[in-house]
Amino acid sequence: MADLQLPAWCTQGPAAFVAAHRRLLESREVSQELHHWLDLTFGYRLSGREAVRAKNICLPLVDAHTHLTCYGVVQLFDQPHPQRMMGPAWALAEPPALTGRPQAWRGQGRSDGATPEEEEGAQAPVGEEEGAGDLEEGTEALDSLSALDGPSAPSLDVPPAGPPQSKAWGPGEKEEGPVHLPEGFNPLQALEELEKLSNFLTRGLQSSPPDLPAWDGPTIPSLSCLLQRDMQSFGVLVAEIFFAQRLRPLGLEASLPERFQAVCRLAQCRLREVAEPLQQAVLTLLHLQEERPGASTQPPHPALFHYPSVLAGLPPPSPGLLLSPCCPIIPFPAYFPRLHRLACSFSTPGQGLPLGREFVFSLWQQLDRLLDVVEPEGLEILLPFVMELLSAEGTAVYSAWYLFEPLARALGPRGAQRCLLSPLAGVYERPGYLPGRFYLYTDCFVLQLMVRLGLQPFLTSLLPHILQVLTGQEGTAEAQGLGGGPEDEAGLSYGSREGKEAADSGSYMGGELSEGEEPQGGIFGDEQEAAGQARPSDGSSNGEASGEEQGPDSETKDGMILPSPGGQDMGLAGEEEEEEAAEEEGAEQAAPLCTTPEGRLCEVLRESAEQEQELEEEELTEGKEQKILLDTACKTVKWLSAKLGPTLCSRHIVRNLLRLLVTCYFGPEKQQFVLNGEEDVPCVGSIYKHRPVLGDLVAQPVLECLVYVAQLYGEPLLTYQCLPYVAYLVAPSNSRRLNSRKEASLLAAMVLMQKIIVYLSDTTLMDILPKVNQDLLLPVLEVLTSPFTSFPGGAQARSVLGVKTLSLIALVCLRIGQEMVVQHMSETLCRFFEGFSIMPEQREKAGESDTPWPGTPETDAADWDPAALEELDEVFSLEMAFSAYIPFNCLIGDTTIRRLLRNHELVWGMAARYQEEVSGRGAESPPPPSPDTGDPWPRSGPRGEDGASGTFGSAMVGNRIEIGPGARPAWLPLSGDQEPGSLKQELGRSGRCLDGNWLAHWRYEVGRGQQDGRFHFHQIRLQTFTGHTGTVRTLAPLPSEDFFLSTGRDRTVRLWPLYNQGDGTGTVEPRLTYAHHRRPVYCAQQLGALQQVASCDGTVHIWDQFTGKPIRIFDCFDSRNPITAVAAMPAPHCSLLVGTSDSVLHFIDPRKSGLQHEFRLGINASAGLIRCMAISPSGRSVAVGFSSGFIYLLDTRTGLILKVWPAHESDILQLKSTEGNVLVSSSTDHSLTVWKESDSKPLQHYKSPSDPVHAFDLHGHEVVAGTVANRIGIYSLDGSVPVATSKLSWENFRGVLTSLAMLPAKRLLLLGSDNGMIRLLA
């Protein structure tokens, strides 16, 4: 009732309200007075003197009205109703207290000194309350007794214990005192209640009192009795599963006999509610076919009844009998013995069995043959064993590699997502070394994941784990800031689960890297969404930086080794290795002479040395497999980038790669310099090709994949996606605090920017150069030279950022040339070199103590951070001044640099002092340049003679400065260690580069937020598919969205690719054409479980989608009743539903000829013809639309018609089913209706004003519909969004719209026309 409300005291809901009243009704107070209410309402106090005394006179009874049994007040009893038998009112929970000492109870014949508790436990009857341990002990005792032969065997019949005897208290023990009895004590109350009950039954109901069963005392039940009790309990449990709703009044405290009686009553009248395969089991276990022997007396304890010796020709039920495949009680399927053997072959690591690849391979061989016949019930039995293998360390990888594909094929996409998605993610997230782990990153296994799980679940749940391995990080993808799915409202854009913020608390200097945001727009778009960056876990961040984690791979792969602090560890390690080698040689020489115990000790030492060598070889193998894993993941990511297309690649791969790049530089260990090859001392003067840090080595695979994607889709990916992200990472904030995450973001931004500059064209670089200076370089220099903020990584992190920033500035200057440097980079260079003027000591040495330097007013000196000043003193040192000043002096000339730098004298003096220090240590080097001379070093000839446009013998070749090996000083490695063409590299132009309409669509999709999952139709023409010569009847995209099927009146079915090509104005030819039909084809669908295609022209054709060869052809079942509709069951079902004109549904198994079964729907003769069918995503129901407007809802498992309703006034054109038991139908009455299967009224009803909706498709919670007037409408399933309609323009679509299909993941629309042309629009 709508106006019914609960009282204020009930705050726990209606269930608590009902439970409280039930407790009150069953309370002692109500039970004691309940019989009085019965007497007043139905009993003897309705008439006579008792009614007058009780003031309960009923006029209809006094007036002697007739027909009182049909209406009015009815008097049922003329005798007082007995009180409810609930024990005496004076009974207490505890016995009355006695003032004296209680007597000691002893049993008869007991001389062993057993306590009363032990004797009671030994002679108490075995009941339901006894545990499993007592039953096991009793079983063992019975087995041991049955093994004895001869007269000496003890009897199993134990006489009951006699009544307890009392023992008088001894002298001094007995105390005189009264016994306090409860108030109202009546020892005859039980007899009085029994007498009242007898009088009520004999006088009031004219019936005899029931005979009380005789009970001779407690007896010990036999093992067969206990076994029968268990079988009867099992039968009760089976019946309660189906009668659960009807048995709720019993409550949880009901005893087994009460449950048994209730189940028997329900089974006798409602047996059809029990599943048909278990009806015989309920009848047999509860013995309901005939009257049970002894049913009129109280059943023996503990069994409810005794089974006969022969029951339906079989022995009494037992566990062994129920599990027998020949037993008809519980019909197990034919595959159950094989399933049982397979389940027994599974083992856990704790059993000591050898687990590994061979074990899983043997299981796969058995499982592959079993899954062809196993049913869903068998899969539910098998799945727990597979989950255990996926969680074990030794079998996790091999179980995923061998068992995933057959199990996912048997489960279908929905079942695989429910059962296997989480365990697979756990295998990817498992930290540590797993043998054969690279198998999970191969392209063939990734393709299986996409096909069997579905494209969207793979992108959101598993792709982040595949990308994560590129950095060598271990742990969950959320810890790296990765994930997927727009359903994560508050977390990261790519995560189905919320990312965890592990960075230091508080804000940091620069842009706030809050979660759930992503930069968007064009080149440095103003509107940005924050890109979530979560800190990696401790195990993932620290483990990658350690030397043990790198193993030999760190040296063999990149030729780099970690520097030893202090420079002594490496030497000590070498000495220890020499000593170990000497000891091994000595042990080998002494081995033949070791015959004494000392010799045995030598042998043990030699064996231990061999074991250590084996461990080293295992570590080497692990390092090689880690390298294989990295290479395999790189190849797979590149393959995925090409397969997914530009929009999905940018949304799910590029964005995650950009986030992973930040984690490559997170932590102090990732910011340590590594040595180059065989060089003992790193290059000092190199500013462009600087010394790499460990993070650079970790980031190499990530940058390699980003460059590949840029080469695949062109320069826009760098300018419209990577550059905004870089600007976002370095964007300043209102706080001065800098945490570790922001520190890593600045380093990653500089590294990524260097990579971008190399691949940008000259025109693009000059276009974005002002933005690069304003939004990238200046914010970084502000942080780098700030005396207010210290770095979490200390001077080392600031030094690395300074070197990388200087390298980026040098790279930009070398790309644009001398004139452009003066014009565009002056402010940037000045801001960098002003960092040398921060320290007062340096300013005093240069004589600038009284000259304020720009950007740091003297009034702010009190707010400077002492730690930041120490870092600046160490970073902006003499070495940095020398490394930075000399190359830029060479590039733009001494006169220009003196004019640009406001602190030129200070910087030049620091460079000169560094040169003096180097010369003082014995290094031979030319003198530093003088600020008073325009030509720093004398040359062999005038500038015009050697063609040098710079200084130091450098030559200008275009925008690049080249220094000859003989003319360049040894301490100035400006470009001697550069790779050829490292200043500028061409991306190349592939056939899939973004251009024209594809570029416009991609820019819009990249700029959209991850939370926006709606379809926005902008009529951007992306592709044209030509090949059909007649009307296009249907369009059916494949689940991977890289191909789609089309049918036409030209009697062909064509398979088309969906890869971007050109600028959107070109045409695409079909990849495959199936031309075996004889009539126009009006339907084509993919059979997901079989990976085949079913098409129909009145005859159903099953053919291979990869080769185009026919597999099986099903002719028309009756020439008088042609096929009118076809629908494929979702995986894992293989059936195909075919509707004919006689209103019959035929089920076809494409794997074999003939029909499975058929359901006739011709209940109403006026229903008409079957026009369309829609199968629910679970495959449990099918909706059939008729030409009369009726919709029939049918259960595909039983054939029962669940619902029939008149949905429309005329012919139904199309039906679609989606999650949540929702149906969408369109009709010629111009209506589009959304239905709930359980409701009779529509959820939403849309009316087209002019034309009927003859084609529509579903996209999430939206319906994209088209009419013959070439109008596209977007409707909401829940009505939360207003309807949006637009008319197709003539430039984008020609002809009449005949078919429509959505690509949900890519958010694209396929449209077919009557002229045979298909268009792909966005």
Side-chain angles (χ1 to χ4, degrees):
M1 292 179 288
D3 56 348
L4 181 62
Q5 296 183 355
L6 297 177
W9 57 265
C10 184
T11 60
Q12 300 179 355
F17 181 79
V18 175
H21 283 78
R22 290 185 63 181
R23 287 194 300 270
L24 291 176
L25 291 175
E26 297 294 334
S27 64
R28 174 178 290 272
E29 291 78 6
V30 176
S31 299
Q32 290 177 350
E33 305 295 334
L34 184 62
H35 61 289
H36 297 309
W37 176 80
L38 292 174
D39 291 338
L40 290 172
T41 307
F42 304 105
Y44 75 104
R45 290 187 176 180
L46 283 174
S47 61
R49 295 180 180 180
E50 295 296 333
V52 175
R53 292 176 183 177
K55 298 180 181 181
N56 190 39
I57 299 175
C58 183
L59 295 180
L61 295 179
V62 174
D63 296 341
H65 289 180
T66 57
H67 304 291
L68 296 180
T69 57
C70 299
Y71 62 91
V73 180
V74 179
Q75 182 177 355
L76 299 179
F77 316 119
D78 56 1
Q79 296 294 326
H81 196 284
Q83 186 180 5
R84 182 177 180 181
M85 301 180 66
M86 51 178 298
W90 46 263
L92 302 178
E94 300 292 337
L98 302 179
T99 58
R101 180 180 176 182
Q103 302 184 58
W105 297 97
R106 293 187 182 275
Q108 294 181 346
R110 299 290 298 180
S111 61
D112 53 356
T115 62
E117 290 81 8
E118 293 175 348
E119 183 163 350
E120 290 176 4
Q123 297 182 358
V126 180
E128 298 176 8
E129 66 278 5
E130 297 186 5
D134 298 337
L135 180 60
E136 293 179 359
E137 293 178 1
T139 304
E140 294 176 358
L142 292 174
D143 293 341
S144 61
L145 292 176
S146 61
L148 299 177
D149 296 328
S152 60
S155 174
L156 295 179
D157 299 330
V158 180
Q165 295 181 350
S166 63
K167 178 181 179 181
W169 292 338
E173 295 181 356
K174 185 174 181 180
E175 299 180 3
E176 297 293 335
V179 177
H180 299 282
L181 297 175
E183 182 180 359
F185 177 77
N186 183 12
L188 302 178
Q189 180 179 356
L191 294 177
E192 292 176 356
E193 291 180 355
L194 182 61
E195 183 180 4
K196 292 179 180 179
L197 177 62
S198 178
N199 292 335
F200 179 78
L201 294 177
T202 54
R203 297 178 182 179
L205 300 181
Q206 289 79 34
S207 62
S208 59
D211 297 331
L212 298 179
W215 184 50
D216 297 332
T219 58
I220 297 179
S222 62
L223 181 61
S224 60
C225 183
L226 295 175
L227 188 61
Q228 291 189 10
R229 192 271 313 271
D230 292 342
M231 291 293 98
Q232 294 159 11
S233 302
F234 177 66
V236 171
L237 289 175
V238 173
E240 285 178 340
I241 294 176
F242 302 95
F243 298 143
Q245 296 296 331
R246 302 183 182 278
L247 294 175
R248 290 183 64 181
L250 283 179
L252 301 178
E253 297 81 8
S255 62
L256 179 61
E258 294 175 349
R259 294 160 53 197
F260 171 72
Q261 295 295 336
V263 165
C264 289
R265 289 194 298 268
L266 290 174
Q268 290 175 354
C269 59
R270 299 182 180 276
L271 187 62
R272 292 190 60 182
E273 296 183 8
V274 180
E276 185 176 357
L278 295 178
Q279 291 181 5
Q280 183 62 32
V282 172
L283 293 175
T284 303
L285 293 175
L286 301 182
H287 196 39
L288 299 177
Q289 296 96 331
E290 55 188 21
E291 183 180 359
R292 293 182 296 274
S296 61
T297 61
Q298 182 177 354
H301 187 77
L304 300 174
F305 58 88
H306 285 291
Y307 289 110
S309 301
V310 179
L311 183 62
L314 296 173
S318 63
L321 181 64
L322 297 181
L323 292 175
S324 174
C326 302
C327 176
I329 299 178
I330 299 181
F332 287 99
Y335 63 83
F336 186 78
R338 297 168 57 186
L339 178 63
H340 183 262
R341 289 193 298 269
L342 178 61
C344 293
S345 63
F346 283 89
S347 62
T348 59
Q351 295 179 354
L353 298 178
L355 298 178
R357 181 172 182 175
E358 292 76 11
F359 173 73
V360 178
F361 180 75
S362 63
L363 292 178
W364 169 73
Q365 289 179 323
Q366 303 177 51
L367 181 65
D368 197 33
R369 295 190 296 266
L370 178 63
L371 289 178
D372 294 335
V373 295
V374 75
E375 295 177 357
E377 295 79 6
L379 286 176
E380 293 181 4
I381 299 175
L382 192 61
L383 279 175
F385 299 97
V386 179
M387 299 301 109
E388 191 172 1
L389 290 179
L390 288 173
S391 61
E393 183 175 353
T395 58
V397 173
Y398 297 118
S399 299
W401 173 258
Y402 285 107
L403 304 182
F404 167 75
E405 204 280 333
L407 280 176
R409 184 178 66 247
L411 290 171
R414 289 167 57 91
Q417 294 173 26
R418 184 182 66 254
C419 302
L420 300 179
L421 187 57
S422 180
L424 278 175
V427 176
Y428 279 107
E429 293 174 359
R430 182 182 295 273
Y433 169 72
L434 292 178
R437 188 172 186 174
F438 65 91
Y439 286 122
L440 304 183
Y441 298 88
T442 57
D443 53 358
C444 57
F445 185 74
V446 170
L447 183 60
Q448 291 178 3
L449 295 177
M450 296 174 62
V451 173
R452 298 304 178 187
L453 292 175
L455 180 61
Q456 197 63 37
F458 166 77
L459 293 177
T460 56
S461 301
L462 295 183
L463 181 58
H465 298 288
I466 298 175
L467 298 176
Q468 180 187 350
V469 80
L470 294 176
T471 62
Q473 301 289 345
E474 297 174 348
T476 61
E478 289 79 3
Q480 309 301 326
L482 305 181
E487 63 275 2
D488 190 4
E489 297 294 338
L492 298 173
S493 299
Y494 290 92
S496 58
R497 293 167 290 186
E498 185 176 359
K500 297 180 180 179
E501 180 63 33
D504 296 338
S505 62
S507 59
Y508 32 75
M509 186 71 175
E512 292 288 344
L513 296 179
S514 60
E515 297 183 357
E517 302 181 60
E518 184 68 27
Q520 64 177 358
I523 302 180
F524 303 99
D526 295 332
E527 298 181 359
Q528 296 183 355
E529 296 181 6
Q533 297 292 341
R535 174 180 175 180
S537 59
D538 296 337
S540 62
S541 60
N542 298 333
E544 186 62 28
S546 61
E548 294 82 8
E549 191 77 18
Q550 291 289 332
D553 188 33
S554 61
E555 182 175 357
T556 58
K557 184 180 73 170
D558 299 297
M560 304 294 181
I561 57 176
L562 289 173
S564 58
Q568 297 180 357
D569 294 344
M570 299 301 295
L572 292 176
E575 293 175 1
E576 292 176 357
E577 292 176 359
E578 293 178 358
E579 292 176 0
E580 292 176 359
E583 290 176 359
E584 291 176 0
E585 292 177 1
E588 292 176 358
Q589 295 176 1
L593 303 177
C594 290
T595 56
T596 62
E598 291 79 2
R600 177 60 182 168
L601 178 61
C602 294
E603 184 177 354
V604 172
L605 292 176
R606 185 175 69 251
E607 292 178 355
S608 63
E610 293 177 354
Q611 293 177 359
E612 292 179 358
Q613 184 177 2
E614 292 177 357
L615 292 177
E616 293 178 357
E617 293 178 355
E618 291 179 0
E619 292 179 358
L620 182 63
T621 303
E622 180 178 343
K624 291 181 179 179
E625 187 161 344
Q626 188 71 16
K627 187 176 186 302
I628 295 174
L629 172 63
L630 192 61
D631 295 340
T632 304
C634 283
K635 294 178 181 178
T636 301
V637 171
K638 295 176 182 178
W639 169 77
L640 273 176
S641 302
K643 181 177 180 59
L644 294 178
T647 55
L648 291 182
C649 176
S650 297
R651 195 184 306 156
H652 296 279
I653 293 182
V654 176
R655 284 179 177 173
N656 279 334
L657 289 177
L658 293 175
R659 293 172 179 174
L660 279 174
L661 191 62
V662 178
T663 65
C664 298
Y665 295 92
F666 187 84
E669 66 279 353
K670 301 293 182 64
Q671 299 164 6
Q672 301 296 325
F673 289 105
V674 293
L675 300 181
N676 289 321
E678 299 178 355
E679 297 180 4
D680 296 331
V681 181
C683 298
V684 177
S686 177
I687 60 173
Y688 169 58
K689 201 68 174 181
H690 59 82
R691 292 175 297 168
V693 295
L694 183 60
D696 294 332
L697 306 182
V698 178
Q700 281 183 359
V702 179
L703 293 174
E704 180 183 348
C705 293
L706 284 173
V707 170
Y708 176 82
V709 178
Q711 292 174 345
L712 182 64
Y713 296 117
E715 191 180 67
L717 186 130
L718 300 177
T719 57
Y720 289 101
Q721 189 169 13
C722 296
L723 281 178
Y725 189 78
V726 173
Y728 171 76
L729 292 179
V730 303
S733 68
N734 297 328
S735 176
R736 293 180 177 179
R737 180 177 176 83
L738 185 71
N739 65 6
S740 301
R741 196 69 191 176
K742 182 64 177 180
E743 182 183 83
S745 300
L746 295 175
L747 295 175
M750 293 298 100
V751 173
L752 180 59
M753 195 62 202
Q754 290 186 37
K755 208 70 173 178
I756 293 173
I757 293 296
V758 171
Y759 287 97
L760 290 180
S761 63
D762 295 337
T763 303
T764 305
L765 178 59
M766 294 308 301
D767 290 340
I768 69 172
L769 188 56
K771 285 286 188 179
V772 170
N773 282 313
Q774 188 67 29
D775 296 342
L776 299 182
L777 294 177
L778 292 180
V780 174
L781 292 175
E782 181 68 24
V783 179
L784 179 64
T785 60
S786 173
F788 305 100
T789 306
S790 60
F791 278 63
Q796 176 67 23
R798 195 184 286 261
S799 299
V800 175
L801 181 61
V803 171
K804 292 187 178 297
T805 305
L806 186 59
S807 301
L808 177 60
I809 296 174
L811 175 61
V812 174
C813 293
L814 291 173
R815 281 290 309 271
I816 65 178
Q818 178 180 0
E819 296 180 359
M820 294 295 103
V821 169
V822 177
Q823 182 177 352
H824 296 282
M825 301 295 292
S826 301
E827 183 181 359
T828 303
L829 290 175
C830 291
R831 190 68 186 86
F832 176 80
F833 282 102
E834 282 172 358
F836 295 96
S837 300
I838 298 176
M839 303 307 299
E841 296 81 1
Q842 302 295 343
R843 297 173 60 193
E844 290 177 0
K845 293 179 182 180
E848 300 180 358
S849 57
D850 298 333
T851 306
W853 55 279
T856 310
E858 294 183 359
T859 56
D860 296 338
D863 299 334
W864 291 358
D865 188 355
L869 293 178
E870 294 178 2
E871 296 172 5
L872 291 172
D873 186 33
E874 185 173 347
V875 173
F876 291 94
S877 59
L878 302 180
E879 178 184 340
M880 176 65 79
F882 181 82
S883 301
Y885 177 77
I886 300 301
F888 285 107
N889 190 299
C890 299
L891 177 62
I892 62 178
D894 183 71
T895 304
T896 305
I897 199 172
R898 290 182 61 190
R899 187 177 70 255
L900 293 179
L901 301 184
R902 291 183 285 267
N903 57 347
H904 177 268
E905 297 297 331
L906 172 62
V907 177
W908 177 85
M910 295 177 66
R913 288 199 302 272
Y914 177 78
Q915 179 59 27
E916 292 175 359
E917 292 179 3
V918 173
S919 301
R921 292 195 296 266
E924 297 181 359
S925 179
S930 173
D932 299 330
T933 60
D935 202 357
W937 267 283
R939 295 183 296 274
S940 58
R943 179 177 301 182
E945 294 179 2
D946 58 2
S949 59
T951 54
F952 308 108
S954 61
M956 292 292 296
V957 180
N959 288 340
R960 187 174 67 252
I961 300 177
E962 289 189 353
I963 302 177
R968 178 177 61 84
W971 46 265
L972 185 60
L974 178 61
S975 59
D977 56 350
Q978 296 173 193
E979 298 178 359
S982 59
L983 293 179
K984 179 182 178 182
Q985 295 184 17
E986 297 291 339
L987 283 176
R989 186 168 182 84
S990 66
R992 302 188 62 183
C993 285
L994 296 173
D995 193 10
N997 291 344
W998 275 106
L999 177 58
H1001 167 65
W1002 177 84
R1003 287 181 57 183
Y1004 174 78
E1005 289 294 326
V1006 170
R1008 291 177 60 179
Q1010 288 297 297
Q1011 307 303 324
D1012 186 8
R1014 296 184 57 201
F1015 174 66
H1016 301 276
F1017 188 56
H1018 299 283
Q1019 297 198 39
I1020 302 176
R1021 186 177 64 180
L1022 301 179
Q1023 213 78 17
T1024 302
F1025 305 90
T1026 59
H1028 282 290
T1029 58
T1031 302
V1032 178
R1033 300 290 297 272
T1034 58
L1035 297 172
L1038 301 188
S1040 59
E1041 297 189 14
D1042 51 356
F1043 288 91
F1044 74 94
L1045 297 166
S1046 66
T1047 65
R1049 295 184 61 85
D1050 56 357
R1051 297 177 293 182
T1052 62
V1053 182
R1054 301 176 188 267
L1055 182 68
W1056 309 84
L1058 276 171
Y1059 299 111
N1060 65 299
Q1061 296 179 8
D1063 58 355
T1065 60
T1067 59
V1068 179
E1069 297 295 329
R1071 182 68 59 87
L1072 185 147
T1073 301
Y1074 182 81
H1076 294 274
H1077 285 282
R1078 298 181 179 180
R1079 290 184 294 272
V1081 187
Y1082 58 84
C1083 179
Q1085 294 184 12
Q1086 185 194 36
L1087 302 174
L1090 303 176
Q1091 294 296 300
Q1092 298 172 358
V1093 177
S1095 56
C1096 181
D1097 62 344
T1099 300
V1100 179
H1101 290 234
I1102 310 297
W1103 48 279
D1104 192 339
Q1105 65 184 17
F1106 303 103
T1107 62
K1109 296 182 179 179
I1111 299 175
R1112 196 177 301 275
I1113 298 177
F1114 295 89
D1115 293 329
C1116 186
F1117 310 103
D1118 187 356
S1119 58
R1120 295 172 298 178
N1121 299 306
I1123 297 175
T1124 57
V1126 177
M1129 294 281 288
H1133 309 286
C1134 301
S1135 301
L1136 189 69
L1137 272 67
V1138 177
T1140 55
S1141 60
D1142 56 350
S1143 302
V1144 176
L1145 281 185
H1146 306 269
F1147 284 72
I1148 297 176
D1149 189 349
R1151 297 168 295 183
K1152 51 189 176 182
S1153 58
L1155 292 175
Q1156 286 182 296
H1157 48 269
E1158 60 183 27
F1159 298 144
R1160 184 172 297 277
L1161 304 178
I1163 300 178
N1164 189 356
S1166 61
L1169 301 177
I1170 296 178
R1171 292 298 189 189
C1172 50
M1173 294 184 293
I1175 303 175
S1176 63
S1178 62
R1180 296 183 177 181
S1181 62
V1182 55
V1184 184
F1186 284 83
S1187 59
S1188 60
F1190 278 80
I1191 295 180
Y1192 282 59
L1193 188 63
L1194 186 75
D1195 191 331
T1196 57
R1197 298 166 295 179
T1198 62
L1200 296 177
I1201 297 179
L1202 305 177
K1203 184 180 178 183
V1204 179
W1205 73 98
H1208 296 275
E1209 298 176 356
S1210 58
D1211 198 348
I1212 296 179
L1213 297 177
Q1214 195 172 0
L1215 267 177
K1216 293 282 185 180
S1217 179
T1218 184
E1219 298 290 346
N1221 299 326
V1222 176
L1223 288 172
V1224 184
S1225 61
S1226 66
S1227 173
T1228 55
D1229 60 0
H1230 297 192
S1231 62
L1232 180 70
T1233 311
V1234 182
W1235 305 90
K1236 190 79 171 180
E1237 291 183 1
S1238 58
D1239 298 338
S1240 58
K1241 294 183 179 180
L1243 297 179
Q1244 298 295 329
H1245 183 76
Y1246 301 101
K1247 197 78 171 180
S1248 176
S1250 57
D1251 304 299
V1253 176
H1254 68 285
F1256 68 88
D1257 204 352
L1258 303 179
H1259 175 260
H1261 294 281
E1262 296 176 324
V1263 181
V1264 182
T1267 66
V1268 292
N1270 291 355
R1271 287 188 175 275
I1272 302 297
I1274 302 177
Y1275 307 86
S1276 175
L1277 291 178
D1278 52 6
S1280 58
V1281 180
V1283 178
T1285 60
S1286 60
K1287 184 173 178 59
L1288 295 173
S1289 62
W1290 183 83
E1291 294 81 4
N1292 295 322
F1293 187 83
R1294 300 181 181 180
V1296 178
L1297 179 64
T1298 58
S1299 55
L1300 177 150
M1302 275 294 304
L1303 303 176
K1306 295 183 177 180
R1307 300 170 186 168
L1308 300 177
L1309 185 62
L1310 282 168
L1311 301 176
S1313 63
D1314 59 345
N1315 55 18
M1317 189 175 298
I1318 304 172
R1319 290 287 174 87
L1320 179 65
L1321 302 180

